[in-house]
Amino acid sequence: MANRINKSSKQATKANDLLIPYMDQWELWRFSGQTAQKIASHANLSELSLVNRPAFVIPQQFLNTVDLWILTQDQELVGDMVHLQLENRGVFSNPDEVPIYSFRSLLQDQSRTLTLTTSLDSSFPEQWALPEFSKFDTAINYFPFPKNRWTIWREFNRYIAVLTNDNQVVYSQALSVQTLDADFATELRCITFQLLTDNIAPETIGITFWSPISPHEKLVIENSLSLPIEEAPRPTPVPPKQSFNLTPAAVRIKQAVSKRFAQYRNLGILLGGLYLLATLGFGSYLFVEKREIDQAKASVAKSRPIIQEVQQSLNLWDDLQPVVDKNLHPLYVLKTITDALPKEGVRITEFKQSSYYETFIKGEAKNSGLASSYIAKIDGDTFFPGYNWTGKQPSQNKNNTWSFSQSTTHPNAPAKE
């Protein structure tokens, strides 16, 4: 007999706000304990005020969700075997991209484990990859779905189908058919048959619509599938017991750079404060010594070790210049270079700094115009006064992309020996 388990690759964290797509709108919800209140909605995401770093529910059309039977019940091995199966299915088609996916184990049957695995599709829009979002998740973690039923609703121009077996979501996908007609029923019938064959779907199921359906559409689908259809309002979102970690790679990089930037900024402030205190203390010491002129010779002799120690500290401070001078530190330079990237069409493939003073970048663009515009943008950036960027002009690759490289040297770099 199968043993149901419920384990996510990442335990949920409470989010104060939730941004979720429904019908033709983006809805902004605010949680207070276990209850939620819709505070705004708009068809244009940029029109919403996202001040509380909401959790972002990714539209299902940009997710790939699949059920995988894993031939083990050892939960320590399940994760590696899920990765291998996704790799064999071609989900990780680009070796240069970090695969973004999460899974949860649903049940165990004899020597197998059934997992529900969701991966982020490469078509996910770059304009939504914002570090202002606290996390990136799926709708199935925020709603109570009816037992043993298909639940259907619309997100923008796509219908979403979620199937439950008992209390657990076992399937979630954006359907390819965009109208409620016989073709819609045929697609849903094929999916149901496959899930029954794989012993995933329940034997008795119905359909619940959370978005409008006309009497004619309802009659066509009921007659085609021989399944009862119910209409119900979509329930209010609830805080998730479990969540998926589907943060895009671009967001992870931005968050890591910002975190490291803040660490070095705080370190610079701390060192600056310590240096100021040391300088003030030394100045006070000299002032007192000046007043005691009759003991000057003895004081100088006594103070010589202290003066030498302070000089050593000043030398160490000079060594810290690459940390506190943002034009020398690699993180500042990398942040300026990546901030100059357009929303799409250009990416950096290599970044190097030699002895803090020499910077080299290499990248790819969809066309030569985008590459040249990006080179001109960093060459004219106010962050690089006095720099002279030179390098390889854009050249076309075999895959019709354009490669480019640029290098520059800090204008105050010491002369090479």
Side-chain angles (χ1 to χ4, degrees), residues 138-368:
T138 71
I140 64 174
N141 294 322
Y142 289 89
F143 292 104
F145 291 91
K147 295 181 180 180
N148 298 327
R149 298 186 73 83
W150 281 109
T151 302
I152 310 292
W153 74 93
R154 183 164 60 84
E155 287 180 358
F156 302 112
N157 64 336
R158 301 291 289 275
Y159 281 96
I160 312 305
V162 171
L163 179 64
T164 54
N165 188 337
D166 197 10
N167 283 321
Q168 294 199 96
V169 173
V170 295
Y171 185 85
S172 174
Q173 199 62 267
L175 302 179
S176 60
V177 177
Q178 300 180 20
T179 54
L180 298 176
D181 51 19
D183 291 336
F184 174 92
T186 298
E187 182 174 359
L188 202 62
R189 182 189 302 111
C190 292
I191 297 173
T192 303
F193 178 77
Q194 183 62 52
L195 294 174
L196 285 169
T197 302
D198 293 338
N199 196 27
I200 295 173
E203 294 182 1
T204 303
I205 60 177
I207 303 177
T208 297
F209 272 84
W210 282 354
S211 57
I213 179 173
S214 70
H216 174 71
E217 292 169 335
K218 182 177 180 180
L219 181 62
V220 169
I221 296 174
E222 281 185 328
N223 290 339
S224 298
L225 295 176
S226 299
L227 294 176
I229 293 179
E230 294 180 355
E231 297 179 66
R234 188 200 62 181
T236 300
V238 296
K241 296 180 180 178
Q242 298 171 315
S243 64
F244 285 151
N245 180 14
L246 297 170
T247 304
V251 177
R252 299 186 184 194
I253 293 173
K254 292 176 183 177
Q255 290 173 342
V257 170
S258 296
K259 182 178 180 181
R260 186 61 59 89
F261 174 80
Q263 290 175 342
Y264 277 102
R265 180 189 60 193
N266 295 335
L267 176 61
I269 293 173
L270 175 62
L271 293 175
L274 292 174
Y275 177 68
L276 180 61
L277 289 175
T279 303
L280 290 175
F282 185 60
S284 298
Y285 172 80
L286 292 179
F287 178 75
V288 172
E289 290 300 311
K290 188 175 181 180
R291 291 178 57 187
E292 300 176 0
I293 194 66
D294 53 340
Q295 300 178 0
K297 292 183 180 181
S299 297
V300 169
K302 186 184 299 184
S303 301
R304 186 171 290 113
I306 299 176
I307 295 172
Q308 292 175 347
E309 183 177 352
V310 172
Q311 184 61 52
Q312 292 175 357
S313 298
L314 291 174
N315 293 337
L316 290 174
W317 180 250
D318 290 337
D319 292 338
L320 285 173
Q321 184 181 4
V323 174
V324 297
D325 183 353
K326 66 180 182 181
N327 290 90
L328 292 177
H329 198 273
L331 285 177
Y332 280 91
V333 176
L334 176 59
K335 184 176 186 299
T336 302
I337 288 172
T338 55
D339 285 348
L341 288 170
K343 290 184 178 180
E344 62 180 3
V346 181
R347 67 169 184 163
I348 299 300
T349 59
E350 184 175 354
F351 170 82
K352 293 191 298 186
Q353 267 201 304
S354 175
S355 303
Y356 294 105
Y357 293 99
E358 297 177 357
T359 300
F360 171 82
I361 62 172
K362 185 177 181 181
E364 280 186 352
K366 287 184 178 180
N367 55 59
S368 61

Side-chain angles (χ1 to χ4, degrees), residues 341-412:
L341 288 170
K343 290 184 178 180
E344 62 180 3
V346 181
R347 67 169 184 163
I348 299 300
T349 59
E350 184 175 354
F351 170 82
K352 293 191 298 186
Q353 267 201 304
S354 175
S355 303
Y356 294 105
Y357 293 99
E358 297 177 357
T359 300
F360 171 82
I361 62 172
K362 185 177 181 181
E364 280 186 352
K366 287 184 178 180
N367 55 59
S368 61
L370 285 173
S372 298
S373 296
Y374 173 69
I375 293 171
K377 187 173 182 180
I378 61 170
D379 189 42
D381 197 298
T382 56
F383 182 84
F384 299 111
Y387 285 71
N388 181 23
W389 288 90
T390 59
K392 177 184 176 184
Q393 291 303 308
S395 59
Q396 192 170 17
N397 303 318
K398 292 182 179 179
N399 60 357
N400 292 326
T401 60
W402 290 74
S403 296
F404 63 90
S405 63
Q406 291 287 300
S407 62
T408 188
T409 302
H410 193 285
N412 296 327

Side-chain angles (χ1 to χ4, degrees), residues 16-83:
N16 291 328
D17 285 3
L18 174 69
L19 185 66
I20 189 167
Y22 179 63
M23 300 293 288
D24 299 312
Q25 302 276 321
W26 288 99
E27 297 181 346
L28 186 61
W29 292 78
R30 179 156 296 163
F31 288 112
S32 177
Q34 295 299 309
T35 61
Q37 179 182 5
K38 185 167 70 172
I39 59 176
S41 63
H42 203 282
N44 191 346
L45 178 60
S46 62
E47 296 297 324
L48 296 175
S49 177
L50 310 177
V51 295
N52 290 335
R53 300 192 70 235
F56 181 84
V57 170
I58 302 170
Q60 186 65 47
Q61 62 181 297
F62 301 110
L63 297 171
N64 299 306
T65 302
V66 62
D67 294 288
L68 298 175
W69 280 106
I70 305 300
L71 298 178
T72 182
Q73 291 188 355
D74 188 343
Q75 293 302 300
E76 294 184 358
L77 299 178
V78 168
D80 292 337
M81 297 180 72
V82 165
H83 186 96

